Amino acid sequence: MKSARSLTKLAALVVAAAMIFAVSASAACLGVGTVNVDALRMRETASTESEILLTAAAGDRVLLLETSEQADGLWYKVNCNLTEGWMRAEYLDVSQVMDCELGTAVVNVTLLNFRKSPSTDAAVIGSLAEGAQLKVVGLENGWFKVEYEGQTGYISGEYVNFISAPSQNTFAVTLSEYGAGASDIVLVEASSDAQALLTYASTLIGCPYVYGGTDPSGFDCSGFVQYVFKHFGISVGRSSDDQYEDGIRVDEANLQAGDLLFWTSSDTAKTTHSGIYIGNRQFIHASSNDGITITSMDSLWYSMRYVGAVRILGVPGYEPK
């Protein structure tokens, strides 16, 4: 299985070479889906047992390609951030007609009619040459509403390839190592504060490890923890030792998503490493080998060197400021 970092790099390459991702109006433009939960998994096939390709955040927009009725309900095949996969329909708000920014597309035929309204009977504004880049600003019954050189009109979606995703979308991150579980809402048992915090933390997967680092150009373990909590106005210590003195101590048996976890690689130091618990005995952290990644608490080193955990979220004195 590819690492989260390698898949993040792969996604960047896909954006640069996105001509391979054609979005067809005849098969793809059933509508626009907007994610209506904090985090939603996209899978390779229409099954909760299928491989997780990425996780989209609340408010992210996806193009609906086709439907599949399964025993557990309706699924949509979607194009999310230039990647195709399947999402549970109940976690998407669907519109067949919508004015919204959907990304940038490129014409993939020699000439494409640019029309005043979404119909083959509509007047033609002009012809767009192959390779023309269009800002897609809406969808109406399988036609894309686009802006080109100061004019707004409609094109048939089967003749364009998307080269960028909606600008409002969170960069969809791969959480294939998160764990199995039947639900496709990540952290369904977490508080809303923990869901928001961990959804944000997951957007940093793939950032490199740098000793002493405190920002996305490079994090060390405690710098990553501090950065994520600071994003939500919560102040925690800079070092792992300082963070271990924050909040309240919690037993391993009572861990909740958003708790801080600690390990030591020394017989004398109290702690030397920290991370954030996400559930299913998994945690997100800055690894010296892999950068920001997700790891199991049961992996050999971490199971042997575990020190303890503290809770920050919901603890008096640690409210967002």
Side-chain angles (χ1 to χ4, degrees):
M1 181 179 293
K2 298 182 179 69
S3 70
R5 182 167 62 176
S6 66
L7 283 166
T8 302
K9 291 179 178 178
L10 177 60
L13 292 173
V14 167
V15 172
M19 292 297 289
I20 63 172
F21 288 101
V23 179
S24 167
S26 59
C29 298
L30 302 179
V32 176
T34 303
V35 176
N36 61 22
V37 290
D38 286 304
L40 178 61
R41 290 167 173 160
M42 183 174 80
R43 296 183 179 269
E44 187 174 17
T45 63
S47 168
T48 55
E49 302 301 317
S50 179
E51 181 180 356
I52 301 165
L53 300 179
L54 54 78
T55 299
D60 282 0
R61 294 176 182 141
V62 301
L63 289 174
L64 308 178
L65 312 182
E66 59 184 273
T67 62
S68 178
E69 189 68 49
Q70 301 293 321
D72 58 356
L74 183 67
W75 290 69
Y76 279 110
K77 186 176 185 182
V78 304
N79 182 302
C80 177
N81 290 11
L82 305 180
T83 302
E84 292 186 2
W86 292 85
M87 288 179 171
R88 296 278 293 276
E90 64 188 295
Y91 304 129
L92 295 169
D93 293 331
V94 175
S95 300
Q96 279 75 41
V97 179
M98 189 175 190
D99 285 331
C100 60
E101 190 265 321
L102 294 174
T104 303
V106 172
V107 175
N108 63 16
V109 291
T110 304
L111 289 175
L112 176 62
N113 285 331
F114 184 35
R115 298 182 182 273
K116 288 187 176 181
S117 60
S119 168
T120 54
D121 296 325
V124 176
I125 299 171
S127 295
L128 304 175
E130 186 173 8
Q133 293 194 16
L134 316 170
K135 182 180 180 181
V136 183
V137 295
L139 179 72
E140 185 169 343
N141 300 321
W143 291 72
F144 288 124
K145 184 179 181 180
V146 302
E147 294 177 353
Y148 181 72
E149 294 187 347
Q151 297 190 81
T152 301
Y154 294 82
I155 59 168
S156 178
E158 62 186 307
Y159 303 117
V160 295
N161 300 325
F162 275 81
I163 60 170
S164 75
S167 59
Q168 74 156 35
N169 280 13
T170 304
F171 182 68
V173 295
T174 298
L175 293 177
S176 298
E177 298 174 58
Y178 174 74
S183 176
D184 275 355
I185 307 177
V186 176
L187 309 170
V188 288
E189 297 181 354
S191 69
S192 58
D193 287 344
Q195 287 198 9
L197 183 137
L198 290 167
T199 297
Y200 176 71
S202 69
T203 68
L204 300 170
I205 287 177
C207 291
Y209 179 90
V210 174
Y211 180 76
T214 59
D215 61 49
S217 66
F219 290 107
D220 65 15
C221 63
S222 55
F224 169 69
V225 169
Q226 185 184 55
Y227 183 89
V228 170
F229 277 83
K230 184 178 180 180
H231 180 78
F232 293 90
I234 300 173
S235 178
V236 298
R238 171 61 186 91
S239 69
S240 62
D241 277 354
D242 289 341
Q243 291 168 2
Y244 193 49
E245 298 304 319
D246 286 323
I248 58 173
R249 300 285 173 85
V250 291
D251 294 333
E252 185 175 354
N254 296 318
L255 289 175
Q256 295 179 7
D259 288 345
L260 302 189
L261 307 180
F262 298 89
W263 298 264
T264 185
S265 59
S266 167
D267 293 332
T268 57
K270 182 166 54 178
T271 70
T272 58
H273 191 66
S274 59
I276 308 173
Y277 187 63
I278 66 175
N280 286 4
R281 297 191 60 77
Q282 309 281 313
F283 63 99
I284 186 168
H285 66 129
S287 161
S288 58
N289 293 324
D290 300 317
I292 306 305
T293 189
I294 292 170
T295 302
S296 170
M297 293 178 66
D298 298 320
S299 58
L300 184 61
W301 189 91
Y302 293 98
S303 65
M304 295 176 61
R305 292 290 186 169
Y306 180 73
V307 172
V310 301
R311 181 160 300 148
I312 300 295
L313 297 177
V315 174
Y318 292 89
E319 297 86 357
K321 296 178 175 62

